Amino acid sequence: MHSLFERIGAASAATPFGVIVMQAVVWVGMSAIWIPWALNGGDVIRIVLAVISPLLALYWVVALVFGIRRRRGSRASRDD
């Protein structure tokens, strides 16, 4: 699992930090909306969105964590 997170971090290294933050917020919010909708009225589209959105939210939150680490590392090296 750790190597998967490392690969996500490496894949998102070229993505601007603002885009990573925006995507993380959007997909976490969409997960919060689509999961209850799928539980209340289970048509196929809602169920698919309720399955896909947490996966995308996880991807972007992991990318956000690695982005924050990169920014802190670059600030620390710049301050030295």
Side-chain angles (χ1 to χ4, degrees):
M1 192 67 140
H2 183 68
S3 66
L4 174 65
F5 291 162
E6 291 287 333
R7 288 167 56 187
I8 291 172
S12 65
T15 307
F17 185 71
V19 172
I20 293 173
V21 171
M22 180 197 64
Q23 288 291 332
V25 169
V26 165
W27 285 108
V28 167
M30 289 309 205
S31 295
I33 292 170
W34 284 332
I35 291 172
W37 279 359
L39 294 176
N40 289 336
D43 63 2
V44 176
I45 302 275
R46 289 180 182 181
I47 293 171
V48 168
L49 291 173
V51 170
I52 291 173
S53 62
L55 296 175
L56 287 169
L58 176 67
Y59 176 87
W60 287 108
V61 167
V62 169
L64 178 63
V65 168
F66 277 90
I68 290 170
R69 286 183 185 172
R70 273 194 305 274
R71 286 177 62 106
R72 285 185 182 164
S74 69
R75 283 185 184 161
S77 65
R78 189 175 34 170
D79 291 341
D80 290 340

